[in-house]
């Protein structure tokens, strides 16, 4: 009986833990400027749905390997209506605040890195991670060996951080070839000149330098020497008997 009670207690404990585990953060982000706008649903920091106002439709940017959460029809139309409301409110705030200039923070973080381990000739994605800026958005442009690249590039919608700055991530599909140099440049309202980071395939691909070759050579030499010495003593031994 005592054992039963113990088990029951553990079981209840388990349930409490589970319910503590399923706290999720469901966030709806809305914003606008005169020329731009954003309407996005996120779950636990991941983008689930956003309105692409340029293409005129909703987008579910979740990766293909998960079950997609879909939003009901009319969500995009709702986003468009919200954009109008946002712009009206923006006009009212501007008049009320007598066009006080907005605070401007340039990006505080700019990092470029490949999504996967670099394998020469294998498709990969270069990521340009821009964070700590206000207001949104930034423009990101890419180059390969000094030439502008637009094909295979994309950028996500601005994601707000707790400190009221934004993060945006731009991606470039690429195939690493030895000697290629890439760069991503970021334009922002608070920057006089674009900020640029470069990344080159040579120093970032796994080294196939002399290391393994030398070990292999030395190993083989010692091995062959062993065989030679062994053979020598074998013959000598046979001669003696
Ligand atoms: C981003 O590019 C657009 C179009 O070229 C331009 O109108 C806008 O001023 C740029 N934004 C920034 C922050 O430089």
């Amino acid at each position: 009986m005592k054992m039963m009670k113990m088990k029951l207690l553990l079981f209840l404990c388990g349930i409490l833990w589970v319910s503590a585990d399923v706290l999720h953060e469901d966030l709806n982000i809305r914003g606008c400027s005169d020329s731009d706008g954003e309407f996005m649903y996120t779950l636990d920091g991941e983008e689930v749905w956003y309105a692409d106002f340029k293409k005129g439709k909703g987008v579910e940017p979740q990766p293909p390997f998960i079950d997609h959460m879909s939003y009901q029809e009319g969500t995009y139309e709702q986003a468009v209506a919200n954009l109008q409301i946002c712009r009206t409110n923006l006009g009212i705030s501007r008049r009320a605040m007598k066009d006080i200039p907005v605070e401007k923070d340039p990006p505080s973080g700019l990092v470029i890195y490949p999504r996967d381990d670099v394998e020469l000739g294998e498709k990969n994605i270069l990521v340009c991670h821009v964070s700590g800026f206000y207001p949104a958005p930034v423009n990101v442009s890419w180059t390969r060996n000094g030439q502008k690249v637009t094909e295979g590039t994309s950028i996500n919608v601005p994601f707000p951080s707790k400190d009221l700055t934004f993060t945006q991530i731009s991606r470039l599909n690429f195939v690493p070839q030895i000697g290629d140099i890439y760069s991503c440049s970021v334009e922002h309202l608070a920057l006089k000149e674009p900020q640029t980071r470069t990344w080159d395939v040579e120093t970032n691909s796994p080294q196939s330098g002399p290391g393994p070759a030398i070990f292999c050579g030395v190993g083989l030499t010692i091995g062959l020497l062993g065989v030679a010495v062994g053979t020598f003593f074998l013959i000598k031994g046979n001669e003696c008997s």
Side-chain angles (χ1 to χ4, degrees):
M1 192 57 209
K2 208 167 181 189
M3 199 58 203
M4 272 298 279
K5 265 192 187 153
M6 272 299 274
K7 269 190 185 155
L8 196 64
L9 203 69
L10 279 176
F11 181 64
L12 282 175
C13 242
I15 288 180
L16 279 177
W17 271 105
V18 169
S19 53
D21 263 0
V22 291
L23 267 178
H24 293 292
E25 190 176 75
D26 190 352
L27 196 65
N28 173 214
I29 296 154
R30 307 160 186 206
C32 63
S33 67
D34 292 328
S35 57
D36 232 315
E38 174 170 348
F39 190 99
M40 174 164 69
Y41 287 106
T42 76
L43 184 63
D44 295 334
E46 299 288 342
E47 297 174 11
V48 178
W49 189 98
Y50 72 85
D52 187 332
F53 291 119
K54 290 197 181 84
K55 295 206 176 101
K57 64 182 173 99
V59 180
E60 291 171 8
Q62 303 148 76
F65 54 81
I66 60 162
D67 245 354
H68 280 212
M69 265 176 68
S70 291
Y71 282 78
Q72 63 187 42
E73 263 183 57
T75 308
Y76 180 74
E77 287 68 25
Q78 234 176 24
V80 172
N82 262 287
L83 187 63
Q84 295 310 322
I85 295 169
C86 181
R87 290 210 175 123
T88 307
N89 289 343
L90 184 63
I92 295 169
S93 308
R94 270 206 189 118
R95 281 194 296 278
M97 295 171 80
K98 308 216 183 336
D99 270 331
I100 295 172
V102 292
E103 205 180 302
K104 284 184 278 185
D105 285 322
S108 61
L110 175 54
V111 189
I112 183 171
Y113 59 90
R115 191 191 65 176
D116 302 319
D117 286 343
V118 175
E119 295 281 352
L120 295 179
E122 296 280 321
K123 277 189 188 168
N124 204 330
I125 293 173
L126 264 184
V127 179
C128 192
H129 189 279
V130 195
S131 58
F133 56 89
Y134 185 91
V138 286
N139 287 345
V140 176
S141 53
W142 290 89
T143 68
R144 178 193 297 118
N145 302 325
Q147 302 286 318
K148 202 173 170 75
V149 186
T150 50
E151 210 183 297
T153 65
S154 63
I155 188 160
N156 73 342
V157 284
F159 198 90
S161 310
K162 295 227 157 54
D163 63 358
L164 297 180
T165 65
F166 289 93
T167 295
Q168 264 183 289
I169 297 164
S170 179
R171 292 178 176 80
L172 168 70
N173 295 325
F174 83 118
V175 177
Q177 304 285 4
I178 206 79
D180 280 354
I181 298 172
Y182 289 87
S183 81
C184 86
S185 293
V186 176
E187 287 180 303
H188 184 259
L189 221 61
L191 288 174
K192 284 201 188 75
E193 288 185 351
Q195 258 185 30
T196 303
R197 289 282 180 283
T198 58
W199 185 90
D200 67 283
V201 175
E202 200 121 12
T203 50
N204 290 284
S205 53
Q207 297 294 312
S208 56
I214 281 182
F215 284 124
C216 185
V218 169
L220 199 67
T221 310
I222 290 174
L224 285 176
L225 210 66
V227 171
V229 169
T231 312
F232 175 78
F233 281 110
L234 195 71
I235 293 167
K236 277 283 175 205
N238 278 343
E239 272 176 7
C240 289
S241 60

